[in-house]
Amino acid sequence: MQKLLLLGVEAIAQGAIDGGLSGVYAYPGTPSTEITEYVQKSKEAAEKNIHKDWSANEKTALEAGLGMAYAGKRAMVCMKHVGLNVAADPFINSAVTGVNGGLLVVVADDPSMHSSQNEQDSRYYGRFAQIPVLEPSNQQEAYDMAYHSFELSEKFGLPILMRLTTRLAHSRTGIEQLPVKPQNETSLPKDPKQFILLPVIARRRYKLLLEAQEAILEAANNSKYNKYIEGADKSMGIITGGIGYNYLMENYSETDCPYPVVKVSQYPLPKKHIERLFGECEKILVLEDGYPIIEEIVKDYLESCTKVHGRLDGTLPRDGELNPDIVAAALGLEVKTGEDTPEFVTNRPPALCIGCSHIDVYKALNESIEQYGKGRVFADIGCYTLGALPPFNAIDSCVDMGASITMAKGAADAGLVPAACVIGDSTFTHSGMSGLLDAVIEKSPITVIISDNEATAMTGGQNSSAFGRIEAICEGIGVEKEHIRIINPVKKNHDELVKIMKEELAYNGVSVIIPRRPCIQKLSRDKKKKRAAKK
Ligand SMILES: Cc1ncc(C[n+]2csc(CCOP(=O)(O)OP(=O)(O)O)c2C)c(N)n1
Ligand code: SF4
């Protein structure tokens, strides 16, 4: 079989395609976005008619993936870690319904928060849902796991969670492909009631999930991804998972690791290997990227708590991602520092692009709202979050997708009137719409600015589900037509935009202002694509 040079995320996409995928459902989010983009660009996926359009948010993506798995086909759902909070309801319930065709949920975590609001660890969600969790330690494993995950899912009749972290997602290596499998035929679940989670059925389904736990643990004990690796020096044993294993091996690239190692890449924890390690070694070092979940579990279920070292006792930093140097320090090895960074390499703070439409929106907003005083602009997540930085200093919050409208409503309820909020077009259809409905029902005095650049710009300019629909959605939700104001935010319209903003801030009810101008980066990328297509 040929070797392909792939990023970790691309390896997952190719593994899923080769493993019989019928549909990918996703909402973009770094570092997971390229899984879906790879399927979107794949000729093979197009020939096989694999579903690959973006979903409005992670919850709708997961539910659609579950629907495909209900119909007997193999589906993959992809998101970044915080997306799993949005999809948590169907995710946890999908472990109770179970699946018919295989369902793989891929979640990319971002320890050190390179492009995220937190560094939550999705392995907790897998444990919470009580389903098997896969965590690749390299790109080949990512490919193999995606390929085989559908069989595992169909064997247990449960969704499978695959968790990876940024460095694995975004580094590249050669991948050996496996023979391509056909897609499943459409079929109905054997138990026609299993997807109807009425309490009487849900209780029965939940018992089945609990009964499956022993077999799921046995599968982890015997998984080819989990290993006990012999080592002569028993003064220490090492438990490591995912990319932590890669970093460990990097420290012993010229010699064998002298300590016994348990490599964990399929959860629940392979108790068999861990008990052996505890029996043989004087102390235990846990190396894991993300939260100290392995460390917590082994401390809980094995007696000799004092011999476990890791993030919880300060042997490794409590937060941030792992790297080979942190691992070296924990192993007591010399930390080899690289060359000093040359002076001309300086940190470049993120900034809105010159010519970005959000700039004109913030210039007008700052001028319009000044008379009411500070602290009343609730924003959301997207390029426009950079309005928090100088020279704009225009926003006062950014919490999670959709929180701008709802927080403005709550602040207005508390008497902060007027309250304004800024949200992007993609974020609006992701999770802003339902908050707008709350505000309309209570006629809250808020001014909603949907800064529409006709793209999901922050994650690379993917199509936005809001495209061409925003004013119709707002009207449908019940915003009064005369308080839906649309304007092109360019310099020559600055005074007009300020006038509109002042009028709507003074209105005692819900108003929506839609400054609409395409993202210039997306525009220039689209132009290039068109030119290339003409050649
Ligand atoms: C729950 C969740 N899913 C995905 C993301 C990743 N993400 C951050 S901003 C954004 C979209 C922003 O698009 P839009 O609202 O249109 O604003 P723009 O960047 O175009 O200005 C996405 C997908 C996230 N932070 N949280
Ligand atoms: S990518 Fe687009 S939306 Fe983001 S800052 Fe640049 S121009 Fe603005």
Side-chain angles (χ1 to χ4, degrees):
M1 269 286 169
Q2 61 167 332
K3 264 201 166 189
L4 299 171
L5 188 62
L6 297 178
L7 295 175
V9 272
E10 295 171 341
I12 292 170
Q14 188 65 50
I17 294 172
D18 293 345
L21 181 74
S22 290
V24 62
Y25 295 91
Y27 183 73
T30 312
S32 71
T33 311
E34 298 89 344
I35 306 174
T36 307
E37 288 181 334
Y38 184 90
V39 182
Q40 288 171 343
K41 286 179 203 147
S42 158
K43 276 194 189 142
E44 237 177 306
E47 280 160 17
K48 293 178 174 177
N49 203 17
I50 293 175
H51 175 277
K52 52 189 188 300
D53 288 346
W54 293 109
S55 302
N57 65 37
E58 294 84 354
K59 180 175 184 285
T60 63
L62 210 143
E63 289 157 350
L66 187 62
M68 181 168 268
Y70 167 95
K73 298 232 174 191
R74 295 177 163 183
M76 174 166 70
V77 181
C78 310
M79 62 196 72
K80 69 182 289 163
H81 58 341
V82 285
L84 194 50
N85 299 332
V86 177
D89 204 1
F91 176 69
I92 302 293
N93 291 343
S94 67
V96 183
T97 61
V99 297
N100 177 24
L103 177 61
L104 173 64
V105 181
V106 183
V107 184
D109 290 358
D110 187 19
S112 278
M113 299 176 242
H114 296 287
S115 43
S116 307
Q117 311 94 287
N118 72 33
E119 58 173 32
Q120 68 184 58
D121 189 321
S122 302
R123 291 174 298 167
Y124 280 102
Y125 267 113
R127 196 164 148 74
F128 188 21
Q130 304 179 73
I131 59 171
V133 177
L134 302 173
E135 187 182 14
S137 61
N138 59 41
Q139 288 77 358
Q140 182 68 55
E141 236 176 33
Y143 172 90
D144 294 346
M145 285 175 168
Y147 180 90
H148 289 297
S149 63
F150 298 121
E151 287 151 31
L152 191 65
S153 170
E154 286 161 13
K155 177 179 155 203
F156 285 115
L158 289 172
I160 305 295
L161 175 67
M162 188 197 288
R163 179 246 186 186
L164 71 159
T165 53
T166 314
R167 303 287 164 186
L168 185 76
H170 286 167
S171 49
R172 204 179 277 281
T173 190
I175 301 293
E176 277 193 34
Q177 264 183 292
L178 292 164
V180 175
K181 289 188 189 164
Q183 295 182 36
N184 286 354
E185 294 297 326
T186 306
S187 68
L188 288 177
K190 282 189 201 80
D191 172 357
K193 299 261 191 275
Q194 82 179 72
F195 284 83
I196 308 172
L197 291 188
L198 281 166
V200 64
I201 301 169
R203 273 183 229 119
R204 177 168 59 76
R205 292 292 314 169
Y206 185 54
K207 275 203 191 343
L208 289 177
L209 177 61
L210 295 178
E211 279 163 29
Q213 294 306 306
E214 210 174 305
I216 292 173
L217 173 61
E218 216 29 49
N221 275 334
N222 299 319
S223 166
K224 65 176 177 182
Y225 305 123
N226 292 340
K227 284 187 196 140
Y228 187 98
I229 304 160
E230 301 284 352
D233 185 348
K234 312 280 186 200
S235 63
M236 182 164 76
I238 299 170
I239 307 174
T240 181
I243 200 161
Y245 175 74
N246 215 318
Y247 295 151
L248 174 67
M249 291 302 136
E250 214 167 295
N251 273 286
Y252 293 108
S253 51
E254 277 147 36
T255 54
D256 284 343
C257 174
Y259 309 109
V261 176
V262 172
K263 169 184 177 285
V264 182
S265 289
Q266 180 172 336
Y267 299 79
L269 283 182
K271 235 175 169 171
K272 175 175 91 175
H273 299 317
I274 288 169
E275 278 172 352
R276 178 171 167 205
L277 195 78
F278 261 72
E280 290 182 356
C281 300
E282 283 166 38
K283 66 174 183 179
I284 305 291
L285 177 67
V286 184
L287 304 171
E288 55 192 322
D289 207 10
Y291 285 13
I293 175 167
I294 299 180
E295 198 179 339
E296 270 178 10
I297 296 170
V298 293
K299 274 190 166 162
D300 275 357
Y301 80 52
L302 294 163
E303 285 164 17
S304 328
C305 295
T306 52
K307 75 183 204 180
V308 180
H309 304 280
R311 288 187 186 266
L312 290 174
D313 73 343
T315 305
L316 294 122
R318 179 64 182 78
D319 61 346
E321 63 184 340
L322 285 189
N323 62 40
D325 292 348
I326 292 173
V327 170
L331 291 164
L333 299 173
E334 187 195 347
V335 178
K336 298 177 198 126
T337 47
E339 300 283 317
D340 286 345
T341 312
E343 265 174 35
F344 62 83
V345 179
T346 49
N347 269 342
R348 199 160 47 94
L352 291 165
C353 304
I354 297 166
C356 174
S357 56
H358 298 319
I359 293 177
D360 295 274
V361 173
Y362 282 130
K363 280 184 177 163
L365 180 60
N366 278 349
E367 199 177 318
S368 321
I369 207 162
E370 199 181 7
Q371 59 178 301
Y372 297 103
K374 289 199 174 309
R376 54 185 71 236
V377 181
F378 301 87
D380 229 295
I381 305 190
C383 283
Y384 50 91
T385 315
L386 295 171
L389 306 176
F392 311 105
N393 303 311
I395 64 170
D396 304 298
S397 77
C398 160
V399 179
D400 63 58
M401 290 190 79
S404 56
I405 300 180
T406 33
M407 282 186 70
K409 180 191 179 297
D413 290 346
L416 199 68
V417 176
C421 50
V422 182
I423 186 167
D425 47 312
S426 181
T427 305
F428 177 65
T429 42
H430 176 281
S431 47
M433 299 188 301
S434 34
L436 182 62
L437 181 60
D438 282 350
V440 165
I441 288 170
E442 293 189 35
K443 210 173 184 293
S444 307
I446 64 169
T447 304
V448 180
I449 297 165
I450 306 176
S451 193
D452 181 10
N453 56 12
E454 301 185 327
T456 314
M458 193 177 210
T459 46
Q462 293 80 13
N463 291 340
S464 161
S465 302
F467 185 74
R469 304 189 165 83
I470 299 179
E471 42 277 45
I473 293 172
C474 294
E475 227 183 301
I477 283 175
V479 181
E480 294 150 294
K481 208 168 175 180
E482 60 276 24
H483 291 287
I484 301 175
R485 316 280 299 266
I486 302 161
I487 181 166
N488 182 0
V490 285
K491 206 171 177 184
K492 72 174 170 46
N493 290 346
H494 173 80
D495 292 344
E496 177 64 12
L497 184 53
V498 171
K499 182 172 163 283
I500 289 175
M501 284 181 173
K502 283 189 171 171
E503 282 169 11
E504 297 306 335
L505 284 165
Y507 174 59
N508 186 25
V510 180
S511 48
V512 174
I513 303 171
I514 309 170
R516 174 171 297 139
R517 176 153 67 80
C519 159
I520 50 170
Q521 297 293 350
K522 181 159 162 63
L523 265 188
S524 77
R525 270 196 301 267
D526 288 352
K527 269 188 198 156
K528 268 188 208 152
K529 270 190 219 156
K530 265 192 199 152
R531 253 182 269 138
K534 271 189 194 160
K535 276 181 194 164

